[in-house]
Amino acid sequence: MAQKRQPVFDRQVAIRGAHALIQPSWPLPPGRRRPVAVFEGGHGSGKTILLDTIAARVEQWVPYGRVDFTETQYDDIPHTLSVLAGRLARYRPRYRRLRFPRLLIALLVLEQDLSLHDFEQARKAVSQLLRERRSGSWPQRFLAEITGEPMEVDLRWGVMVSVLRLPLNTVAALAGHTFTSRSQRWFGHRDRGLNDQAEDTLVELNTWAREAREDPDGPRARGARDRVAGLLCEAFLADLRDCPRRVHRLQTPLLLLDNVDTTSGRAFLRQFVEAAPPLAAEDRAEPLTVIATCQDPTAGLGEGPVLPLEDVVRGSGGDSPGDHPAWLRYRLPDLDRGDVQTLMNSASGHGRVDRRLARLVHEFTAGHPATAGLLTAAAADLPHPASSVSELLRQPLPYAGGFRSAEAPGAAGARTVEEGLLRLLLPAEDSKVDAFVSCSAARTAADGLWLSHQSDLVDAAWADGVRRTAPWSPGGRAGETVLRRLLLRRLAVRSPADPADWTTVHLRLRGFCRKNEDLAGELYHRLAADDLTTVALEFARLLPEMAGQDWLDLLQAASEAPSRRIGRSLEQPYTLFHELVDEAAVASADVTTTRIVHLLAALRIVNDPSGGVAREFLHTQIAGTLSALAPHSPHGLVVLHRAAAEYEQQAQWWT
């Protein structure tokens, strides 16, 4: 299979901001640090691809460390710090090799068993450990111990040394030199003006670690873990502040932290930010830039002034020290229609992609980058030009172009593009997905919350999770819009024997809307339940009574109702239109009602972007029908004719 070009999402503002932030010329007021840059976006918004791009640009030139907090191995802050330090310590020209002696001292002491010693004996044991570290052969003996070689670490204190749980390459990079006396003395003052003895601080660190290990669920364990993590973060940052002067004149090393809004990510970032001691005006800040990604807004990640990253790119980040931000935020943008057209053209093997298909892909995805990219890859794999989004959703999940690797965590086991996208946007077990599917039928938040409490339709075990995610939000962010479309497609194929099948759910919601005098909701769910005739009769009754714009707004709201047929069939829009009209044969000879049946049928197809591209006929039909209905609306003659003209223009575009 030919390799396809990976989609290039619009992330230039983010990249330019990151590039500006790592420059040694970045304007730091005295006693201030570089802000943390946080890139926000939902599933598939391009956050990981953005970090891939930044990492690729600094690879081999600037030291950087990267972790993804969705991986369980980074639940432990000491382990995370050791991994980051090991990656920063890789040799790079000009930087040579960064050293982390304070962090390594803390990690070594952290793992010692001092439980059999009183305080004075423990101090002596720690002092002995630090003296042993001055031996030139110590790194080799230490590495032999952790790799399981016969040689043992003999600290001559009669204490069994536990194996340090660090990656071999991390320890090899960190242990390649001896500790300096300055790095040992740091544990006494910790750059905070303290007058402690270094050995006392290290013994206390060991005690905290033992408390956390011996009773992990005890009342003191959390506080002990926080104190351990805080001191290790302090040591990590102190090692960077004490790095050679040349490093301060170069682009700063980078920490790339993916998914910091997870529980472990929030814990790490909070400890890391809080661990930094105050800087005096004459102190140098750490040569370090932290770039993080998250799905949710950054509220709660930390305190301090926040500025948009765009201000940094434009050079308008504030002129006074009080304007200096602690955080820079940037929400990754969705793709516009031009981006989608460019993306599909660049990947296509059939020349320029039909602009009508590109528009439907954009409408279906709402500009969601991962969805647009996956549909683009599916279109490129077809031996002929695609004619609808539904056709693309039914294609096998593409393996080429980097899409499969990007979606693998969520799309594992999926066979089609549709299945892969659903698993990416809602990575959950099937029973939970079923609850989301039922609630996707809701039109408003009130409908959805009410429906989530109907235990015969929605499994109560997942109701709280459904309410938090709110899959009934058609006007939400791009990823949420795509998720709702996919969930509705899953609801459409449920068996009529299912207690929460399509018709049952929509009729239940129709009753709720009627009870609450929500006419738009009642007509919406009647139409979704294929009661086109009744809905047309109601609109015919209201036409001479309502203001024209109000009638049009109600018509638009109701006609957005999804259909079990539309979007699931590969039939052409013209064929679907006539099937809907024929099924809704009106016994009355009322011409107005018949016209409204035609109008609603055409609008439902137009409002569904998963259908076919041949839509000129539909827009012409809508324009002609609105013109014919206008004289029957005493209060809407002008607005109905104006709407008809707009649809006539759309018909020309879809030609």
Side-chain angles (χ1 to χ4, degrees):
M1 183 180 294
Q3 291 290 318
K4 305 297 189 302
R5 179 180 174 183
Q6 184 168 322
V8 181
F9 303 137
D10 183 8
R11 53 182 182 267
Q12 293 306 312
V13 171
I15 292 174
R16 289 198 300 272
H19 181 265
L21 196 56
I22 68 174
Q23 299 305 315
S25 58
W26 172 269
L28 276 180
R32 306 302 290 269
R33 293 177 168 83
R34 280 175 167 76
V36 177
V38 182
F39 300 121
E40 303 169 9
H43 280 301
S45 60
K47 303 187 302 297
T48 299
I49 291 178
L50 172 62
L51 292 190
D52 289 342
T53 303
I54 294 173
R57 294 194 178 195
V58 301
E59 182 70 40
Q60 301 298 314
W61 300 105
V62 178
Y64 76 94
R66 179 177 179 178
V67 295
D68 183 350
F69 286 105
T70 59
E71 299 178 20
T72 56
Q73 61 178 313
Y74 300 119
D75 291 347
D76 180 59
I77 292 180
H79 176 80
T80 303
L81 283 171
S82 68
V83 170
L84 289 171
R87 291 172 181 172
L88 288 175
R90 294 170 180 168
Y91 179 85
R92 290 292 179 265
R94 299 189 299 166
Y95 298 85
R96 301 177 193 171
R97 193 183 296 279
L98 300 180
R99 303 296 188 183
F100 292 87
R102 295 165 183 80
L103 178 62
L104 186 53
I105 289 174
L107 290 170
L108 290 173
V109 171
L110 192 71
E111 294 292 331
Q112 308 309 314
D113 183 2
L114 304 181
S115 60
L116 301 179
H117 297 272
D118 61 27
F119 185 75
E120 285 302 321
Q121 289 176 322
R123 289 183 78 255
K124 292 178 181 179
V126 169
S127 297
Q128 176 68 12
L129 171 64
L130 298 180
R131 283 195 297 272
E132 285 287 337
R133 186 59 185 87
R134 296 193 182 101
S135 165
S137 64
W138 189 92
Q140 290 74 27
R141 291 186 288 122
F142 178 71
L143 290 175
E145 168 70 14
I146 67 168
T147 54
E149 297 295 329
M151 183 181 295
E152 296 181 358
V153 180
D154 179 16
L155 297 178
R156 296 195 300 276
W157 55 2
V159 177
M160 180 64 68
V161 180
S162 62
V163 175
L164 196 62
R165 295 184 293 274
L166 298 180
L168 176 59
N169 61 342
T170 298
V171 178
L174 297 179
H177 67 296
T178 58
F179 298 144
T180 63
S181 58
R182 185 172 66 253
S183 64
Q184 298 176 31
R185 289 196 303 270
W186 177 85
F187 288 92
H189 58 80
R190 290 162 55 191
D191 293 333
R192 296 177 184 270
L194 305 177
N195 294 314
D196 297 330
Q197 292 291 317
E199 292 83 357
D200 295 348
T201 301
L202 291 169
V203 170
E204 195 171 24
L205 172 65
N206 184 274
T207 302
W208 297 335
R210 187 169 66 251
E211 289 177 356
R213 283 196 299 263
E214 291 176 351
D215 187 15
D217 299 321
R220 302 175 61 184
R222 180 174 179 179
R225 283 193 294 269
D226 284 348
R227 288 189 289 272
V228 169
L231 184 55
L232 293 179
C233 289
E234 284 187 53
F236 180 95
L237 292 170
D239 285 329
L240 283 172
R241 287 194 301 276
D242 195 37
C243 67
R245 189 175 299 275
R246 67 176 180 275
V247 178
H248 290 269
R249 296 194 294 264
L250 300 171
Q251 292 177 324
T252 68
L254 275 166
L255 294 188
L256 304 178
L257 311 178
D258 209 357
N259 295 299
V260 295
D261 53 344
T262 60
T263 300
S264 57
R266 286 181 182 272
F268 177 83
L269 194 55
R270 175 179 62 83
Q271 288 283 1
F272 195 79
V273 171
E274 293 178 356
L279 296 176
E282 66 276 8
D283 293 336
R284 290 188 304 183
E286 303 84 8
L288 180 70
T289 297
V290 179
I291 295 177
T293 71
C294 68
Q295 293 186 42
D296 299 326
T298 56
L301 288 179
E303 298 179 354
V306 180
L307 281 182
L309 184 71
E310 300 94 314
D311 289 356
V312 174
V313 176
R314 292 193 299 263
S316 57
D319 299 323
S320 68
D323 296 327
H324 185 70
W327 304 85
L328 296 173
R329 293 180 57 179
Y330 183 70
R331 183 150 196 94
L332 296 177
D334 297 323
L335 306 181
D336 60 27
R337 194 193 304 176
D339 294 330
V340 174
Q341 181 76 64
T342 300
L343 185 65
M344 298 188 74
N345 288 342
S346 65
S348 174
H350 314 296
R352 181 177 173 83
V353 171
D354 188 335
R355 65 171 184 168
R356 299 174 299 174
L357 178 64
R359 176 171 176 172
L360 291 178
V361 168
H362 178 258
E363 290 180 5
F364 183 87
T365 64
H368 187 245
T371 306
L374 205 51
L375 291 175
T376 294
D381 281 346
L382 282 173
H384 55 80
S387 61
S388 70
V389 174
S390 281
E391 183 180 4
L392 298 178
L393 290 170
R394 296 185 178 190
Q395 296 308 305
L397 193 64
Y399 286 83
F403 296 105
R404 188 58 182 273
S405 60
E407 312 306 334
R415 293 170 297 178
T416 66
V417 170
E418 183 172 350
E419 291 173 357
L421 286 173
L422 183 57
R423 296 191 186 193
L424 168 70
L425 297 171
L426 186 60
E429 53 190 278
D430 290 344
S431 59
K432 185 175 182 179
V433 172
D434 286 342
F436 277 79
V437 168
S438 298
C439 287
S440 67
R443 173 176 168 269
T444 65
D447 296 352
L449 290 171
W450 177 82
L451 185 60
S452 69
H453 287 281
Q454 309 308 301
S455 57
D456 60 327
L457 301 179
V458 178
D459 190 337
W462 306 115
D464 286 340
V466 170
R467 286 191 281 271
R468 285 193 297 270
T469 306
W472 46 75
S473 302
R477 295 172 180 166
E480 297 165 351
T481 300
V482 177
L483 176 60
R484 183 171 186 261
R485 294 190 191 282
L486 296 171
L487 293 171
L488 283 169
R489 291 171 67 88
R490 180 71 67 91
L491 179 62
V493 296
R494 272 186 179 170
S495 167
D498 192 299
D501 73 306
W502 177 280
T503 302
T504 301
V505 172
H506 279 288
L507 289 180
R508 188 81 64 89
L509 285 167
R510 181 205 67 184
F512 174 74
C513 292
R514 184 172 187 176
K515 181 179 179 181
N516 288 277
E517 299 181 349
D518 177 6
L519 180 59
E522 181 183 355
L523 295 175
Y524 174 98
H525 292 294
R526 277 188 179 277
L527 201 54
D530 295 329
D531 192 358
L532 178 56
T533 302
T534 302
V535 174
L537 287 168
E538 181 66 11
F539 274 106
R541 182 184 70 81
L542 293 172
L543 181 62
E545 301 175 3
M546 293 182 71
Q549 190 59 56
D550 292 342
W551 189 84
L552 283 175
D553 291 343
L554 183 65
L555 179 73
Q556 180 60 36
S559 64
E560 290 175 353
S563 170
R564 281 178 296 184
R565 180 194 305 275
I566 300 173
R568 300 302 300 175
S569 172
L570 297 181
E571 294 178 88
Q572 290 300 312
Y574 179 85
T575 305
L576 286 172
F577 170 79
H578 284 287
E579 288 180 359
L580 290 173
V581 169
D582 291 345
E583 289 178 2
V586 182
S588 169
D590 184 353
V591 175
T592 299
T593 303
T594 302
R595 285 173 174 163
I596 294 177
V597 166
H598 290 193
L599 178 62
L600 285 168
L603 283 170
R604 292 188 77 190
I605 302 172
V606 164
N607 289 334
D608 178 19
S610 65
V613 299
R615 298 180 172 223
E616 177 191 3
F617 161 77
L618 297 173
H619 287 86
T620 301
Q621 177 73 33
I622 295 169
T625 304
L626 286 173
S627 293
L629 291 172
H632 300 277
S633 175
H635 310 291
L637 185 64
V638 174
V639 294
L640 261 66
H641 272 294
R642 186 183 301 131
E646 292 174 359
Y647 277 103
E648 191 63 48
Q649 290 180 351
Q650 286 294 316
Q652 296 175 16
W653 191 95
W654 286 96
T655 302

